[in-house]
Amino acid sequence: MKSQQSHVKALAGKLLVVDDEPNILSSLKRCLVKTPFEVYVANNAQEGLAIMQEHNIQVVLSDFRMPHMSGAELIEQIKSTYPDVISMVLSGFADFDSAIGLLNSGAAHKFLRKPWNNRDLIDEIDGAFTEYHTRLLNKRVLEGEHNPEYYAFEQAVRDQFEMQQEFCLVSLKIKDYDFLEQHAGPNIFKGLLTEIRGLVNSELPQGSQTFAFDSGKIFIIIPDYESEAIIHSRLSAINHKLNEPNTQRQGCVKINCVMGYALAPSDGDSPSSLLENLRSAFSVDNVEKERLCRFDSALRDVQRRQLKIKNSINGALRENQFYLHFQPKVHLPEQKIDSAEILIRWQHKELGWIPPNEFINLSELDGQIEQIGEWLITQSVKMIAELHQFSPDLKRVAINISACQLANNSVVEQFARLLEQYALPPSLIELEITESCLIQDFEQTLKVLQALKSLGLSIAMDDFGTGYSSFAYLAKLPIDVLKLDKVLVDGIEGCKEIQSMIAGLITMCHELGISVVAEGVEVAGQVDLLKLYGCDYIQGFHFSKALPKPEFEQILLQQPFNTEVQ
Ligand code: C2E
Ligand code: CA
Ligand code: CA
């Protein structure tokens, strides 16, 4: 039999194993003892992070469910602080769904299953080290940082940290460098570098070091800066000079140069976190606007929050953390609440209440909306059927449908199936769609909308008055309802133009057989004007916010609803 050690072929390195169960940790230690990996163990995530700070860990193997800080959170944190580290989850298969977000976002490299086979596990760890070295090499090749200069640069950054003094790290990029090199020849960089070194000498404090790479990227370490304001203005001056057309420059009169900088230790307390944060200083938005940006911790925090949200969605679905609320709609002519809009709610264990806009948008970006959407439709139809049983007065309940959900026919099949399952009259369901649904693929969306309409559902155009919403759309679409957005409703009291526009819009809609709902109605004055113009429905905090189902049922019992006293 081959020994475990001879089985391992890759470059061994430092491995961190995190698990809260002592038995598992000891069997892992036993399994790994004969391998060349240098194994560190931690009983919880915090301990693991402390080890990460001390040692140059390359691969992490973590349990998923742990008290205080979960494996998912640990791995996210590792991803943002030590982006080169390869993390793997070792957990029961039941956790696989919750780990999908981590795998999709690239924070986790693999999901390994408990109980494990020793030989397979060692192979996987071995593969992770190979992956670590390959990625590092690729990164360096990609960034042109595979030369000794890069190691000298990394060493210089480490030296600065060891001196325990504040310093500034600047990254300067020449945009479209490849194009420049192709057209102006390989010597162009030498000339530019001489120019940049000259500017560094004249503008920056003595002792500033410049490190240049073939990719057109230059790092500057400024060991001693007086204040951020001063360093900002000096860098700005350099940037300005570089971006000015310069006829002395051979081959390229005009270059496009952007700079990002980070201050140590406040913007990163280790070489790897400082370098990573410096990368994020080049966020697309910032650089387009300014050309010179400091690393922005708020931006990084936003990115971390978004990652956390994305990684929690699957678990939230599994653990029933989402629930539905109903915001009543008042039928103005009868002063009666006979319909509602369903709004999703999510109480995140750690982040608290997360606005639906935020997680719906994020879930649209990486396809998780499909799972949320499916859950939402199933749950909504079930609840609408219950409400229908509860009150025969209930005419219609609206479900918000995101653009991605209309991208294929499966939504039509789902509604057909559910209507049959609950024997629900289709007229009880309304779908609220926004313009973004139409922009993506008009023909496809139109087809799906027509199919939904043939099932007997009605369609509402949401958020009218924002974006490009134009009346031309309405004529082309199978629309039954138009929802006037809050921005229009907000403007109605003080602005004659908005008043006549809304009055005209309502008349026009009625001629087309479209009814009108005004949303975000907060004050009595708005109700009076909307009534005057013949608006059909009113929805807004003036009457009620979105409510849990039992409270909405109570409201349905108290009819007619008095619009004056609320
Ligand atoms: P929306 O569809 O335009 O929903 C109306 C939003 O306005 C809701 O916010 C609602 O609580 C809020 N609102 C209602 N009346 C008033 C008012 O008088 N004043 C103010 N200031 N706000 C009012 P919410 O629940 O935070 O939802 C925000 C957005 O998130 C929704 O905008 C919708 O785009 C999305 N969303 C919510 N639930 C779902 C859902 O189940 N599916 C999908 N795809 N999107 C959803
Ligand atoms: Ca809506
Ligand atoms: Ca809306």
Side-chain angles (χ1 to χ4, degrees), residues 341-343 398-400 432-434 462-463 483 519 539:
E341 173 180 4
I342 296 185
L343 294 161
I399 305 173
N400 287 284
E432 293 192 7
I433 61 158
T434 57
D462 204 351
D463 301 343
K483 294 195 76 179
E519 63 178 352
Q539 177 185 353

Side-chain angles (χ1 to χ4, degrees), residues 324 327 341-345 353 355-358 360 364 369 376 380 399-402 405 432 434 462-463 483 485-486 519-522 539-542 544-546:
L324 302 180
Q327 186 174 32
E341 173 180 4
I342 296 185
L343 294 161
I344 191 168
R345 297 289 175 256
W353 188 75
N357 269 335
E358 190 177 4
I360 295 278
E364 281 179 344
I369 185 68
L376 221 142
S380 300
I399 305 173
N400 287 284
I401 298 287
S402 91
Q405 290 177 275
E432 293 192 7
T434 57
D462 204 351
D463 301 343
K483 294 195 76 179
D485 192 79
K486 186 170 183 303
E519 63 178 352
V521 177
E522 291 183 346
Q539 177 185 353
F541 293 172
H542 178 62
S544 173
K545 62 182 179 74

